[in-house]
Amino acid sequence: MAASSPPLKAPPGLGGGPADGEAERSLRTVLTSVLTLLLFLGAAWAIHRELAAWTFDDITTAMAAVSTGQVILAILAAGLSYVFLSFYDPLALRHLGQALPIQRGALASFVGYAFSHAMGMPLVTGGAVRFRLYSAWGVGAGDIAGIIAFNSLTLWIGVAAMLALGGVAAPHEVGALLHLPVSAVIGLAWSVGLLLLIYPWLGLVFRRPLAIGRWTFAWPAPKLAWTQLLLAVVDWGLAAATLWFLLPPVGLGFAAFASLYTLASIAGVVSHVPAGLGVFEAILLIALPEGAHAPGVAAALVIYRLIYYVLPLLVAALLFALQQAYSAGGAVVGRIELARRGTQLVLPSLLATLVFIGGVVLLVSGATPAMPSRLDWLGPLAPLAVIELSHFFGSLAGLALLVLAWGLRRRLDAAYWATAGVLAAGIVFSLLKGLDWEEALYLTIVLVALLPSHAAFYRRSRLLTQRFSVPWLLAILAVVLGTTWLGFFCYRHVDYANELWWQFVIDGDAPRFLRATTGVVVGLIVLGGLQLMRFGEPRRAAASDPDDPEHALATLAKAEAPMANAWLAALGDKRFVFSESGRSFIMYAVQNRSWIAMGEPVGLAAERLELLWRFRERCDAWGGRAVFYEIGPTIMPDLVELGLTFYKLGEQGFVPLPAFDLTGSARSGLRQAQRRAQRSGATFEVLAPGTFDALLPELKAISDGWLETKHAREKSFSLGRFDPDYLRRFPLALVRKDEELVAFANLWMTPDKGDLSIDLMRYRERRVHDVMDYLFIELLLWGKAQGYRRFDLGMAPLSGLQDRQLAPLWTRAGALLFTHAENLYNFEGLRRYKEKFRPVWEPRYLAAPGGLAAAAVLADVTMLVSGSPLGTVRR
């Protein structure tokens, strides 16, 4: 059994009761989800009305009437459509000037579109896949966003082109479909067509990027724009042909049908219903001419969904797995780790989708009649009670899979084991209730894909303690309502009476449906009740354990590759979240609604992902925003899973100590600084922790004088402060002139001798020439002698930000400040000063929720670190 999380602790400054901190529970998200559910139900009602004159047997007969040749043509059209879709990303990469092999861009495009088509929410699903693949290939986040934006433009160009072509080629048919005068259709079609013909030449007219608010758009060159237009038209045409080949005669030409198909597809996207399910079908059934054979159209739509959505999803999953295996093909540990993280990033969401579909399959099977021939064959072999119970529990297994899919998406170990058991039971129930080997085969494939994937489900938390998002709960409700409607549609000819509930006969499909549906509805009510009980968090929690800082420092002593700034745990101004084992921690502080973690998790690498989720869930439970301050690029793939956005803060310099010396012309400036200081009488020494109590009054005088001279005040959170109890924990580097103490710095040293750094550095002015240079030089030489691998010079704020037209607003503003804000803070000068030590620069980021929350987060971080909005940049 998975272990539970420790009790929640209310952080200081958060007062009052817990808020619904999860973004899914924001008012806008709830309203959007409810509206999506209403649109789905409205679409189901429209489908019910259009099929009112037909029976379920009519639809199954129509499905059987679809020929093998029609299916082959549909598969070929769908395959070609995805081939052209695969060129969307390479075209975008070319526009952005990214020299990436075309096969990589094509792979990311195909996998991204296959996932987003099947799962919905293209920016989330397709965007996550692209971020995973492109970031591994060295493409930056800004360019990935540019690819997504360019692809969106290509999609809408295709929509406009298909509507224009339909209006030009078949104005009478399109006018009849849209209930518009033919003259209006022709006028609109030619107008849109003219705009599309002008679009490729705009790159020659507008040579500078177009700025729209905080966004900029660089017009593509004419040749590229023509390619973009042609690509979009062919892709949309082939997608429409996929369904066209499956349809019976519908009284429309292909041009008019392609326009209708495009409108229905866009309506499905705009509705936010995953994959436009129901909305797309309802529009087609309503809009097609009255002469269209409705059961044939319904049958074609079912087969189309399997060909254009499910089949590419399975192929994309296979290609992604092969790509990960290829990337891990060498013996390089970095590649293996990269492949593992990529798999963990995408595989849980993919399996969650497949399991959710499996739940839908079981519920649909429970709501539809069994094949009489199979029941006749099964009847003599299995007792009636077994058939009845298998049907009932098969539907409950379907509901369970809908619930477990959420746990898989959250990467829960308990959900993995439960899903494996329910899938196995579902296979047995499918065979015993009516020899439904097709659904049993699908569940078997999903089970085979799930079993070797245990490593991707690393979170040890109880499933029923998880809060389901409002959209997910409404999705489950939509499936249950949809399958219930389907059952009543199938058994419209049955006279419902009380006796029906107690009929147990081999061909009693309707009674079995009623009993199974009742069980599913009861299960859904129980699930909703558990969720409501889960929302009742305590209004206040116990205070933080006063032993937490000591526990954190003991953990740091045994941590794997910690950063030097992990010693900020000793400052006493932070709270801690520990891993299940207590061998890893995150330190954080709270400012308004921002829960700001200082640096990366400290402890064991194997516990990092689970610890990040634990911190995120604690933030959500208390209405906080999860924020990570000064993190490096290695942790970014893990934070993507938490749904965070990255803002570059600057670059951090590290001097490789084994290679550091003062020889050669490149180090002549450092040699001269050292000699000038020594000629001034400077000497250097390092004192062990807790051996300098007698010097504390003099150290305090130096610190106070330095603050007064710099017109500064003590900072907090990301830097230490002059506190005797804090300083006693660290070695102290001193610079003396004769017997006078003129400078000091406390040292941060990682237990594995990986990093050496300083925290406070305070000195008296004009006592020793080049005292800062001298202190740094001596510390570098001392650290090299002690066997440390690198010296951390700290961060150069806003360094490395690019002032480019297509860069995000934050990046461009930061680059501008770095270059031109010397009156506020000498950003560029600080970078130049540190460059004299020839460091290796690594980027540092702020990870936080995106959108409108970003401004509030930045303000909270500034206030926490400096105590005032200008504190971080005050001289």
Side-chain angles (χ1 to χ4, degrees):
M1 180 177 293
S4 61
S5 301
L8 295 173
K9 297 178 181 179
L14 200 63
D20 271 336
E22 292 187 56
E24 295 88 352
R25 293 186 175 87
S26 68
L27 180 59
R28 187 173 69 175
T29 303
V30 172
L31 292 177
T32 301
S33 302
V34 171
L35 179 60
T36 299
L37 176 62
L38 293 176
L39 286 172
F40 173 78
L41 295 178
W45 175 83
I47 294 172
H48 176 79
R49 190 187 64 178
E50 292 298 317
L51 297 176
W54 308 92
T55 65
F56 183 75
D57 289 338
D58 295 328
I59 296 175
T60 55
T61 301
M63 289 183 68
V66 177
S67 67
T68 303
Q70 287 178 280
V71 173
I72 292 175
L73 286 173
I75 292 174
L76 288 174
L80 287 173
S81 174
Y82 274 94
V83 168
F84 281 92
L85 267 175
S86 299
F87 286 101
Y88 275 38
D89 281 35
L91 193 67
L93 287 165
R94 182 178 175 186
H95 173 61
L96 295 172
Q98 281 285 341
L100 200 67
I102 190 171
Q103 62 269 23
R104 290 185 173 180
L107 174 66
S109 189
F110 172 75
V111 175
Y113 277 115
F115 278 32
S116 60
H117 282 169
M119 301 180 190
M121 298 180 294
L123 292 179
V124 177
T125 53
V129 170
R130 284 181 171 88
F131 185 87
R132 159 65 193 101
L133 293 174
Y134 283 126
S135 59
W137 295 330
V139 180
D143 284 331
I144 297 173
I147 292 169
I148 296 172
F150 187 87
N151 289 349
S152 299
L153 177 62
T154 306
L155 178 141
W156 285 104
I157 287 175
V159 171
M162 294 304 295
L163 296 177
L165 288 173
V168 171
H172 291 83
E173 290 180 320
V174 172
L177 288 172
L178 301 180
H179 302 288
L180 292 174
V182 174
S183 59
V185 171
I186 294 174
L188 288 172
W190 280 104
S191 299
V192 173
L194 181 62
L195 290 175
L196 290 173
L197 292 175
I198 293 174
Y199 166 73
W201 306 106
L202 293 178
L204 297 177
V205 179
F206 301 102
R207 296 186 178 275
R208 298 190 65 179
L210 174 67
I212 305 174
R214 51 180 287 223
W215 303 101
T216 57
F217 172 73
W219 297 98
K223 183 178 179 180
L224 190 143
W226 279 115
T227 305
Q228 182 185 21
L229 176 58
L230 179 63
L231 191 65
V233 170
V234 174
D235 164 47
W236 275 103
L238 287 168
T242 304
L243 179 56
W244 174 260
F245 288 133
L246 298 169
L247 288 170
V250 293
L252 281 180
F254 179 73
F257 172 78
S259 295
L260 175 61
Y261 171 90
T262 303
L263 283 173
S265 298
I266 291 302
V269 172
V270 172
S271 71
H272 292 288
V273 176
L277 187 64
V279 176
F280 174 80
E281 287 80 359
I283 291 176
L284 285 173
L285 285 169
I286 292 171
L288 285 173
E290 293 183 3
H293 184 65
V297 174
L301 287 168
V302 173
I303 300 173
Y304 162 78
R305 285 285 182 180
L306 296 174
I307 291 175
Y308 200 78
Y309 287 82
V310 178
L311 184 59
L313 177 64
L314 297 176
V315 175
L318 176 62
L319 287 177
F320 179 79
L322 292 175
Q323 191 273 337
Q324 296 303 306
Y326 174 78
S327 67
V332 181
V333 175
R335 285 189 173 184
I336 296 174
E337 177 66 12
L338 192 62
R340 182 187 69 83
R341 291 193 181 183
T343 302
Q344 288 185 343
L345 179 64
V346 178
L347 187 61
S349 294
L350 173 62
L351 287 173
T353 300
L354 296 177
V355 168
F356 193 92
I357 293 173
V360 174
V361 167
L362 285 175
L363 288 171
V364 168
S365 177
T368 53
M371 296 182 66
S373 59
R374 295 184 183 181
L375 282 178
D376 292 341
W377 193 88
L378 181 64
L381 300 177
L384 179 59
V386 171
I387 297 174
E388 294 284 353
L389 289 173
S390 297
H391 189 282
F392 183 82
F393 287 114
S395 294
L396 290 182
L399 177 64
L401 290 179
L402 301 183
V403 175
L404 290 169
W406 172 258
L408 293 180
R409 188 169 178 266
R410 301 296 297 270
R411 298 158 174 81
L412 300 184
D413 176 71
Y416 167 85
W417 292 110
T419 302
V422 173
L423 285 171
I427 295 169
V428 175
F429 294 147
S430 298
L431 295 174
L432 291 180
K433 73 184 180 65
L435 293 179
D436 295 325
W437 63 268
E438 298 92 345
E439 64 193 66
L441 176 62
Y442 176 83
L443 297 177
T444 301
I445 292 173
V446 177
L447 180 60
V448 170
L450 176 73
L451 288 177
S453 308
H454 186 208
F457 302 95
Y458 51 84
R459 297 187 58 222
R460 299 187 178 276
S461 182
R462 289 176 179 155
L463 177 64
L464 292 180
T465 64
Q466 301 297 309
R467 290 185 176 187
F468 288 78
S469 70
V470 172
W472 197 276
L473 286 173
L474 292 179
I476 295 175
L477 178 60
V479 170
V480 172
L481 291 176
T483 53
T484 302
W485 163 82
L486 179 61
F488 283 109
F489 174 79
C490 294
Y491 304 115
R492 286 184 298 173
H493 60 284
V494 175
D495 293 327
Y496 291 95
N498 291 335
E499 294 78 9
L500 198 63
W501 294 92
W502 316 113
Q503 288 183 6
F504 297 93
V505 291
I506 191 67
D507 58 350
D509 290 319
R512 279 195 284 271
F513 155 70
L514 288 177
R515 289 189 288 267
T517 300
T518 301
V520 168
V521 170
V522 170
L524 188 60
I525 292 173
V526 171
L527 174 65
L530 290 174
Q531 287 295 295
L532 289 174
M533 293 171 62
R534 175 67 182 137
F535 294 157
E537 298 285 356
R539 293 195 62 82
R540 291 190 179 273
S544 178
D545 189 335
D547 294 332
D548 279 356
E550 297 303 324
H551 182 186
L553 295 177
T555 300
L556 172 57
K558 302 176 182 178
E560 297 176 356
M563 299 293 291
N565 64 3
W567 286 108
L568 286 167
L571 199 54
D573 63 348
K574 296 174 181 66
R575 300 176 66 84
F576 300 88
V577 175
F578 290 95
S579 64
E580 185 84 23
S581 68
R583 300 170 66 188
S584 305
F585 68 87
I586 290 173
M587 52 182 167
Y588 69 96
V590 175
Q591 180 71 29
N592 295 324
R593 286 189 56 221
S594 298
W595 292 43
I596 304 166
M598 180 61 228
E600 301 177 4
V602 180
L604 305 182
E607 296 183 339
R608 185 170 70 183
L609 287 167
E610 169 61 22
L611 183 58
L612 289 171
W613 272 110
R614 178 172 290 204
F615 177 70
R616 168 66 189 276
E617 288 166 352
R618 181 170 293 192
C619 295
D620 289 343
W622 290 95
R625 293 182 289 249
V627 180
F628 291 82
Y629 182 66
E630 287 191 14
I631 55 102
T634 57
I635 197 177
M636 291 174 71
D638 297 336
L639 295 178
V640 167
E641 298 189 39
L642 273 64
L644 301 182
T645 302
F646 303 101
Y647 304 89
K648 190 172 183 179
L649 298 173
E651 293 182 315
Q652 194 154 346
F654 295 91
V655 180
L657 291 179
F660 179 79
D661 57 44
L662 298 180
T663 61
S665 58
R667 304 291 191 183
S668 60
L670 298 182
R671 289 197 304 273
Q672 293 171 12
Q674 185 188 42
R675 289 169 184 167
R676 281 195 296 268
Q678 289 173 341
R679 285 196 297 267
S680 299
T683 58
F684 170 82
E685 65 177 318
V686 175
L687 302 181
T691 62
F692 45 81
D693 281 5
L695 298 177
L696 284 174
E698 193 173 0
L699 295 173
K700 181 70 164 58
I702 294 175
S703 177
D704 292 344
W706 184 88
L707 291 171
E708 183 178 355
T709 301
K710 299 298 181 183
H711 304 290
R713 59 181 174 179
E714 296 282 16
K715 292 182 171 62
S716 62
F717 186 67
S718 63
L719 291 172
R721 61 179 179 270
F722 191 92
D723 180 338
D725 292 333
Y726 172 69
L727 293 177
R728 287 188 186 100
R729 294 180 180 272
F730 305 103
L732 200 68
L734 301 178
V735 175
R736 298 180 186 271
K737 180 180 180 181
D738 300 327
E739 295 300 319
E740 182 188 13
L741 188 60
V742 296
F744 73 91
N746 63 310
L747 305 184
W748 286 340
M749 302 181 296
T750 59
D752 61 350
K753 290 200 169 184
D755 285 356
L756 168 67
S757 185
I758 63 171
D759 178 19
L760 299 182
M761 186 173 72
R762 307 277 165 91
Y763 55 88
R764 289 188 169 116
E765 297 280 359
R766 294 183 294 275
R767 294 294 201 279
V768 173
H769 289 295
D770 302 316
V771 65
M772 285 179 59
D773 289 355
Y774 177 71
L775 182 55
F776 272 121
I777 293 166
E778 293 295 341
L779 277 172
L780 289 165
L781 295 172
W782 181 85
K784 177 180 180 179
Q786 297 297 317
Y788 287 91
R789 291 191 291 273
R790 61 181 188 174
F791 186 90
D792 181 358
L793 287 172
M795 195 168 68
L798 305 183
S799 172
L801 276 66
Q802 299 294 312
D803 184 15
R804 297 179 182 269
Q805 289 287 349
L806 296 179
L809 179 62
W810 162 257
T811 302
R812 296 178 63 189
L816 187 66
L817 282 173
F818 179 80
T819 307
H820 301 291
E822 63 274 5
N823 291 330
L824 184 64
Y825 186 89
N826 194 10
F827 295 106
E828 200 165 9
L830 179 61
R831 167 82 180 219
R832 282 198 304 269
Y833 178 81
K834 295 183 178 183
E835 279 285 4
K836 69 174 69 176
F837 299 101
R838 300 294 181 90
V840 176
W841 293 100
E842 293 184 4
R844 288 295 177 264
Y845 300 91
L846 174 75
L852 297 178
V857 167
L858 291 172
D860 289 342
V861 171
T862 302
M863 291 296 295
L864 179 64
V865 172
S866 305
S868 69
L870 294 178
T872 52
V873 294
R874 185 173 288 158
R875 287 180 182 272

